[in-house]
């Protein structure tokens, strides 16, 4: 395949950045999107130019490191697929592909296509855990968990923290991510005792990070590579409002 | 942009509690949903009341008087009406305040926009909420001056709702404004009546599947109920 790539280049967080165009030929339809970028980078490097920086790690859709706005859609147009699992056969020969970093004030661009998603880490640190004493692993059947609850918790737990929800949302809202994390822990008995404190801490940290807020466009759900449902956002809203009615304030 | 500094956690004091709520987008959205519901309740009953025009002059004029006398002698003349009016003004102010505050925050959340953006499943109604809402707000002011207090009406007679309506809508331009704005209102409701469940966290499996049909049904019912009047008058069906 022959492609025209319109790629965002930016030296560092302060640089204004610009688009750069590259022609790439002999791209295998079986290569993944990231392999296609590797091919571009090999060429750039052998020509003595600096390679395009992008985040990646597992390349099998489970770590959440990769994240690219491909032709105006987070992770590209294929539903429930991370950028690393997107294959070039999804594109047509001769196509121009526009590649941009996630755009959010809370995800500053570090370089080219790589953004700083530590805002998500701080949301998790504020309450995305269950407080238990560590030691040897407890007996698995000690705490009975109803099947529907464990299924629901597993659904929410598939969130890989990639940030596509924020990237795709017209408001740059992080509610789908936060809802998945709050919901996953709150769904099981182990997470229940801290549920109110958790939702208040995490929602208020999300707010402090400067993310936008949900207007129910459902774009996040469509972009999410793991198909996290906006039902979790309804649950987040309900959980937060209830905890506030019960007088729960943020605590660290 | 650049590194963000997170502020230390807040102490549990009532002022901080109020400040946290005031900052909270989820809380503002809940205000928007509740006030939206109040406005919807009004719009629905207003639409139903207006349909009395199809029962003739006497019925609708009587209805207008009934609203003024309701609650007497416990309340003074027009007492009930003013309680309703103040409640609605309060709801409208809070609704618009939360809409503006959230919109500004959301703009700030993405200082630099994409070169290319392809929305996947947001619909026309959801993306035009601000515009449909804003136009409806402007229309409400005109509508009050037109058919409540009469300054914007060519020949207004207090208490004679029937002839005020007939004279108003014999002007095709005025009838067209009413029809267009009420279609916009129905778009606003199509998204809003669904969205409010989501904002308030109402998605129990028993109601979840009914949220969209509920919103669509009332958006259409309210639109048809309202536009039936200007259309019937401008086409001479009622004279
Ligand atoms: C007066 C000017 C108005 C403005 C500026 C306005 C603006 C808005 C905005 C921006 C939203 C949020 C939409 C979203 O989240 O995507 C909204 C929601 C809503 N509006 Fe309005 N609106 C107005 C009037 C009305 C009226 C007259 C009604 C009722 C008949 C109404 C009913 C609703 C409802 C039910 C919602 C849903 C609340 C939610 O999303 O939780 N609005 N409005
Ligand atoms: S909710 Fe989906 S889109 Fe958002 S961070 Fe998690 S996996 Fe990515
Ligand atoms: S690189 Fe791990 S999910 Fe794409």
């Amino acid at each position: 395949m022959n492609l025209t790539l319109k790629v965002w280049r930016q030296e560092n967080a302060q640089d204004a950045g610009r688009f750069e165009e590259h022609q790439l030929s002999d791209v295998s339809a079986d290569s993944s999107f990231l392999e296609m970028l590797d091919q571009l980078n090999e060429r750039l490097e052998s020509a003595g130019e600096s390679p395009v920086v992008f985040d990646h790690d597992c390349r099998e859709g489970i770590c959440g490191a990769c994240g690219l706005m491909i032709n105006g859609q987070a992770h590209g147009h294929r539903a429930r697929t991370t950028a690393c699992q997107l294959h070039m056969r999804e594109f047509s020969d001769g196509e121009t592909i526009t590649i941009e970093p996630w755009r959010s004030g809370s995800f500053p661009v570090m370089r080219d296509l790589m953004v700083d998603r530590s805002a998500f880490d701080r949301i998790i640190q504020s309450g995305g855990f269950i407080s238990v004493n560590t030691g040897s692993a407890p007996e698995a059947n000690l705490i009975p968990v109803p099947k529907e609850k464990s299924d629901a918790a597993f659904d929410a737990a598939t969130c890989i923290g990639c940030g596509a929800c924020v990237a795709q949302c017209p408001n740059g809202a992080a509610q789908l991510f936060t809802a998945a994390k709050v919901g996953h822990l709150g769904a099981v008995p182990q997470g229940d005792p801290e549920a109110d404190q958790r939702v208040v801490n995490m929602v208020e940290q999300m707010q402090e990070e400067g993310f936008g807020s949900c207007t129910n466009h459902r774009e996040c759900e469509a972009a999410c590579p793991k198909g996290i449902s906006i039902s979790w956002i309804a649950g987040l809203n309900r959980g937060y409002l209830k905890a506030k009615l019960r007088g729960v304030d943020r605590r660290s | 942009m650049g590194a963000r500094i997170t502020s230390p956690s807040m102490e549990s004091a009532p002022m901080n509690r109020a400040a946290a709520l005031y900052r909270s987008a989820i809380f503002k959205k809940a205000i928007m949903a509740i006030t939206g519901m109040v406005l919807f309740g009004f719009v629905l009953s207003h639409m139903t009341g207006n349909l009395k025009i199809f029962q003739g002059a006497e019925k609708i004029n009587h209805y207008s008087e009934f609203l003024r006398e309701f609650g007497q002698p416990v309340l003074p003349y027009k007492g009930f009406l003013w309680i309703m009016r103040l409640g609605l003004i309060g709801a409208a102010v809070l609704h618009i305040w939360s809409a503006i505050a959230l919109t500004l925050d959301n703009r700030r959340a993405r200082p630099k926009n994409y070169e290319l953006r392809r929305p996947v499943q947001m619909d026309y109604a959801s993306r035009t909420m601000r515009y449909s809402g804003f136009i409806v707000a402007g229309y409400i002011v005109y509508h009050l001056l037109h058919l409540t207090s009469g300054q914007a009406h060519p020949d207004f007679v207090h208490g004679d709702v029937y002839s005020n309506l007939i004279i108003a809508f014999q002007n095709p331009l005025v009838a067209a404004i009413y029809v267009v704005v009420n279609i916009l209102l129905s778009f606003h409701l199509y998204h809003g009546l669904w969205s409010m469940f989501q904002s308030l966290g109402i998605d129990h499996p028993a109601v979840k599947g009914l949220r969209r049909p509920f919103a669509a049904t009332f958006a259409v019912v309210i639109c048809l109920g309202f536009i039936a009047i200007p259309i019937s008058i401008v086409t001479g069906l009622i004279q």
Side-chain angles (χ1 to χ4, degrees):
Chain A
M1 299 170 78
N2 296 320
L3 300 167
T4 304
L5 302 176
K6 200 173 155 198
V7 192
W8 183 256
R9 302 302 304 262
Q10 185 174 333
E11 281 301 311
N12 51 45
Q14 285 72 41
D15 183 23
R18 75 218 164 271
F19 278 101
E20 211 172 73
E21 266 198 25
H22 293 283
Q23 308 295 329
L24 199 59
S25 44
D26 293 326
V27 176
S28 159
D30 293 331
S31 64
S32 74
F33 200 84
L34 301 191
E35 283 163 345
M36 182 277 292
L37 287 178
D38 293 338
Q39 194 177 334
L40 169 70
N41 279 345
E42 277 166 23
R43 209 191 64 196
L44 288 175
E45 277 179 89
S46 56
E49 292 170 50
S50 72
V52 177
V53 174
F54 61 92
D55 251 329
H56 61 100
D57 187 15
C58 71
R59 297 206 175 198
E60 54 183 16
I62 56 167
C63 75
C66 63
L68 301 169
M69 203 71 180
I70 302 168
N71 282 341
Q73 275 177 249
H75 290 302
H77 60 280
R78 199 184 142 93
R80 300 209 178 182
T81 309
T82 54
C84 60
Q85 290 288 293
L86 183 67
H87 286 82
M88 295 316 293
R89 53 181 166 271
E90 301 289 335
F91 298 85
S92 43
D93 191 28
E95 194 173 339
T96 298
I97 307 177
T98 304
I99 312 168
E100 297 177 74
W102 288 169
R103 295 269 181 225
S104 157
S106 310
F107 289 164
V109 175
M110 304 311 288
R111 186 164 183 159
D112 299 339
L113 302 169
M114 185 169 82
V115 299
D116 174 2
R117 279 169 289 191
S118 55
F120 271 9
D121 300 339
R122 289 187 293 272
I123 295 175
I124 297 292
Q125 280 159 10
S126 73
F129 48 78
I130 288 174
S131 310
V132 286
N133 293 326
T134 52
S136 55
E139 156 61 34
N141 294 321
L142 217 52
I143 303 171
V145 182
K147 172 89 166 80
E148 318 79 72
K149 298 234 164 153
S150 66
D151 284 353
F154 269 120
D155 280 348
T158 57
C159 165
I160 53 177
C162 63
C165 42
V166 176
Q168 183 77 18
C169 174
N171 310 317
Q175 254 148 305
L176 193 65
F177 165 77
T178 310
K181 297 305 174 193
V182 166
H184 137 58
L185 296 172
V188 287
Q190 291 89 335
D192 192 52
E194 292 168 299
D196 278 358
Q197 194 63 57
R198 176 181 307 115
V199 69
V200 168
N201 280 8
M202 290 177 75
V203 163
E204 292 181 7
Q205 183 64 36
M206 169 180 86
Q207 188 90 29
E208 261 179 53
E209 296 293 343
F211 288 106
S213 66
C214 185
T215 55
N216 302 324
H217 288 305
R218 293 141 61 239
E219 284 293 295
C220 52
E221 178 184 75
C224 175
K226 299 297 154 182
I228 304 285
S229 155
I230 57 159
S231 287
W232 292 104
I233 297 184
L236 182 80
N237 294 342
R238 185 171 64 240
Y240 180 76
L241 292 168
K242 274 191 181 166
K244 282 313 223 188
L245 283 177
R246 294 194 194 108
V248 178
D249 289 322
R250 177 154 188 202
R251 267 193 291 140
S252 54
Chain B
M1 289 202 281
R4 237 165 236 281
I5 298 162
T6 49
S7 57
S9 67
M10 281 173 267
E11 297 296 326
S12 311
M15 279 314 288
N16 285 334
R17 182 174 296 175
L21 277 184
Y22 179 76
R23 264 202 305 272
S24 163
I26 293 182
F27 181 72
K28 285 189 206 118
K29 203 67 208 288
I31 302 256
M32 179 182 280
I34 292 165
T35 55
M37 215 184 317
V38 168
L39 294 170
F40 164 68
F42 161 73
V43 167
L44 184 63
S45 54
H46 185 44
M47 185 276 286
T48 321
N50 287 355
L51 291 178
K52 288 195 190 295
I53 191 176
F54 292 105
Q55 296 178 305
E58 199 186 325
K59 279 277 190 270
I60 189 152
N61 290 352
H62 180 79
Y63 172 64
S64 157
E65 192 48 32
F66 158 79
L67 289 177
R68 282 160 178 73
E69 287 167 357
F70 189 86
Q72 275 183 316
V74 178
L75 295 171
Y77 181 68
K78 283 196 184 177
F80 166 79
L81 195 62
W82 271 105
I83 292 173
M84 289 311 216
R85 284 173 176 173
L86 290 176
L88 288 170
I89 292 169
V93 167
L94 287 173
H95 193 82
I96 296 170
W97 163 74
S98 50
I100 293 174
L102 289 172
T103 302
L104 294 179
D105 281 350
N106 290 344
R107 293 247 162 93
R108 272 193 287 274
R110 176 163 296 139
K112 181 162 176 56
N113 218 333
Y114 294 105
E115 168 88 1
L116 182 63
R117 235 184 71 71
R118 290 218 179 106
V120 188
Q121 59 179 12
M122 61 198 277
D123 55 35
Y124 178 79
S126 80
R127 76 180 84 190
T128 54
M129 286 304 270
R130 283 150 205 167
Y131 311 108
S132 57
F134 189 76
I135 294 169
V136 168
Y139 157 86
I140 290 172
V141 174
Y142 164 69
H143 174 57
L144 291 176
L145 292 172
H146 185 216
L147 290 170
T148 304
S149 63
Q151 286 88 343
H153 192 281
D155 190 10
F156 192 77
V157 180
H158 271 283
D160 193 357
V161 181
Y162 189 81
S163 68
N164 288 343
L165 282 168
I166 301 286
I167 293 165
F169 294 134
Q170 275 166 354
N171 180 341
L173 181 65
V174 173
I177 292 175
Y178 273 74
V179 170
V180 169
V181 174
N182 280 293
I183 291 172
L184 291 179
L185 174 63
S186 82
F187 277 105
H188 198 85
L189 292 173
Y190 175 78
H191 180 69
L193 293 179
W194 171 82
S195 174
M196 77 189 179
F197 291 108
Q198 191 68 14
S199 304
L200 294 173
I202 303 170
D203 82 327
H204 190 274
V207 292
K208 196 172 170 182
L210 299 173
R211 300 185 306 179
R212 183 47 87 194
F214 169 83
T217 306
F218 279 101
V220 171
V221 166
I222 287 194
C223 184
L224 294 180
F226 275 132
I227 68 176
I229 297 170
I231 290 177
S232 303
I233 293 173
V234 80
T235 56
L237 275 175
I238 347 179
Q239 285 170 349

